[in-house]
Amino acid sequence: MKPIAKIVSLVALGAVVIPCLLFFAGMTSLNTVKTLALIGTVLWFIATPMWMGRELDIASSEVEI
């Protein structure tokens, strides 16, 4: 699952960055950039926590507050 989430995360990040560079070069429209950046952002925020989560050293049942 983690390798798939990493690939989706990388593709989503590319969907945010690449259209911005294409717009800067005058190769695409602003509406296309906005749409792709929104889709890429949503996908990135969904996929990245799946593989970037940290492992906890102790179980929550062992912690006393």
Side-chain angles (χ1 to χ4, degrees), residues 41-57:
T41 301
V42 170
L43 285 176
W44 190 83
F45 273 106
I46 291 171
T48 302
M50 291 181 185
W51 66 268
M52 246 183 134
R54 60 186 171 115
E55 299 293 327
L56 298 177
D57 294 335

Side-chain angles (χ1 to χ4, degrees), residues 16-30 33:
V16 173
V17 174
I18 293 171
C20 295
L21 295 174
L22 292 175
F23 179 73
F24 183 70
M27 301 174 75
T28 188
S29 69
L30 182 60
V33 173

Side-chain angles (χ1 to χ4, degrees), residues 59-65:
S60 60
S61 61
E62 298 175 5
V63 176
E64 185 176 328
I65 299 176

